[in-house]
Amino acid sequence: MDASFKFSQHSLNDYVACPRRFYLHYVAKLAWPVVEPNPIGLQPLDYQRYLWRGTELHRWIERYWLGIPTPPDSAPDEEMRLWWDHFLHLEFNNLPAQRIPELGLVAPVGDHLLYARFDLLACDASTQASRAVIVDWKTLRTSNHLSAHWFARRIQTRVYLYVLATAGAPYNGGQPFAPEQCSMRYWLANYPDQPWVDIPYSTADYERDRTWLLGLLERASSGQTEEDYARGSEQRQCMRCTYQTLCNRSGGIACSTGPDAFEDEYFDVDSAAEAASIDY
């Protein structure tokens, strides 16, 4: 692969879910003219609106932190109005004072580059007790994924905290944040009674993630041809793959259990639409 290629949570999710998908998307750069598969049982237009609402909520929150007013009557539907109301009633006093929305950072992992874009970085470098908190907005509809353990093991969490601890020095007076000074907070828009899930970080976590990421990036970048990238064994991933027909897996495994079954490590409603708009 090109040495300038920037890995991200999206490309690594693709690689872990199905190396062949990673190859077709990021190595072969194959544009396959099919309708984006719908993995959560909605009609195509409803699915696009579902993705759009999560993306639009992120844009509203970005404007909020930039001091740009968002008219309260601009929400297109009741779900968006409910999310926005939940956000406006959040308590942010326990976050560091400096808030930077939609911040992108790039960190080295061996000879590779790893990119992360934070919904919000809240940091404070003014005292000896410097700390930095990544805040990420989520619109999960299922209560199956509200535990800190589930969030802590996600690729997104491990990538974001590693990148912050490695490349966050410009936001800490030129000194890198120690892993113990970093944490990640997920806001759950659909759960106002349990709005936050907090993930701490440590030096042991950082060393573990560096080893794991280096091995993963080496494997993902070492292939030369399509044959070097095997098809994923979990065929339900084919439900959300643009390239499914190239593997003779059209349709994958039928989705009979509704949206909750697919809000897992590899499908993130709030980043699915965003991924297509970022040049990695």
Side-chain angles (χ1 to χ4, degrees):
M1 296 186 67
D2 190 323
S4 64
F5 178 78
K6 300 179 185 67
F7 286 90
S8 69
Q9 62 147 327
H10 305 293
S11 57
L12 292 180
N13 270 326
D14 276 350
Y15 181 77
V16 172
C18 179
R20 181 67 54 81
R21 183 195 306 171
F22 173 88
Y23 169 81
L24 293 170
H25 188 173
Y26 299 99
V27 182
K29 301 184 186 302
L30 180 61
W32 191 243
V34 298
V35 176
E36 181 181 6
N38 171 8
I40 58 176
L42 297 175
Q43 294 299 315
L45 287 178
D46 291 334
Y47 176 57
Q48 292 303 317
R49 294 189 188 101
Y50 184 58
L51 294 179
W52 177 85
R53 283 199 300 271
T55 302
E56 188 66 5
L57 177 67
H58 282 64
R59 300 293 80 77
W60 283 15
I61 295 174
E62 179 185 12
R63 291 195 292 266
Y64 172 90
W65 291 115
L66 293 175
I68 302 172
T70 298
D73 58 353
S74 62
D77 55 40
E78 182 59 32
E79 186 170 43
M80 281 286 293
R81 284 190 289 273
L82 190 63
W83 291 344
W84 188 238
D85 183 68
H86 290 169
F87 172 79
L88 293 177
H89 285 87
L90 287 174
E91 177 57 66
F92 291 104
N93 289 341
N94 60 347
L95 287 176
Q98 185 179 13
R99 284 84 184 267
I100 309 166
E102 299 298 331
L103 175 66
L105 289 178
V106 177
V109 184
D111 295 328
H112 308 286
L113 299 175
L114 184 61
Y115 170 83
R117 189 172 81 184
F118 309 143
D119 289 347
L120 181 74
L121 179 65
C123 55
D124 184 358
S126 61
T127 68
Q128 292 298 316
S130 300
R131 66 188 183 108
V133 182
I134 302 165
V135 186
D136 196 81
W137 324 111
K138 290 287 180 233
T139 58
L140 292 173
R141 290 182 170 182
T142 173
S143 60
N144 295 335
H145 302 321
L146 299 185
S147 71
H149 173 75
W150 185 83
F151 278 103
R153 62 179 289 274
R154 298 184 78 240
I155 290 176
Q156 179 185 10
T157 305
R158 299 177 71 173
V159 166
Y160 279 26
L161 285 170
Y162 174 86
V163 169
L164 176 60
T166 305
Y171 303 93
N172 190 34
Q175 297 297 317
F177 287 105
E180 286 77 10
Q181 295 174 311
C182 303
S183 64
M184 188 160 181
R185 170 172 288 188
Y186 287 96
W187 172 58
L188 310 177
N190 283 314
Y191 295 92
D193 295 331
Q194 187 184 342
W196 301 120
V197 176
D198 289 314
I199 311 298
Y201 207 45
S202 69
T203 298
D205 294 331
Y206 179 81
E207 295 297 336
R208 173 207 63 187
D209 289 343
R210 180 169 59 182
T211 300
W212 174 73
L213 284 166
L214 181 58
L216 189 61
L217 271 57
E218 290 285 353
R219 293 193 299 275
S221 61
S222 63
Q224 302 296 321
T225 68
E226 183 172 349
E227 286 67 33
D228 297 324
Y229 294 87
R231 293 187 301 176
S233 59
E234 189 176 350
Q235 291 194 37
R236 74 169 186 163
Q237 294 297 328
C238 302
M239 291 285 296
R240 65 203 62 169
C241 182
T242 304
Y243 307 103
Q244 58 181 248
T245 56
L246 297 183
C247 297
N248 296 317
R249 286 183 173 180
S250 299
I253 303 300
C255 177
S256 60
T257 53
D260 290 359
F262 285 90
E263 288 182 328
D264 62 10
E265 172 67 22
Y266 311 115
F267 179 73
D268 186 335
V269 169
D270 302 294
S271 62
E274 173 191 335
S277 67
I278 301 174
D279 181 7
Y280 301 115

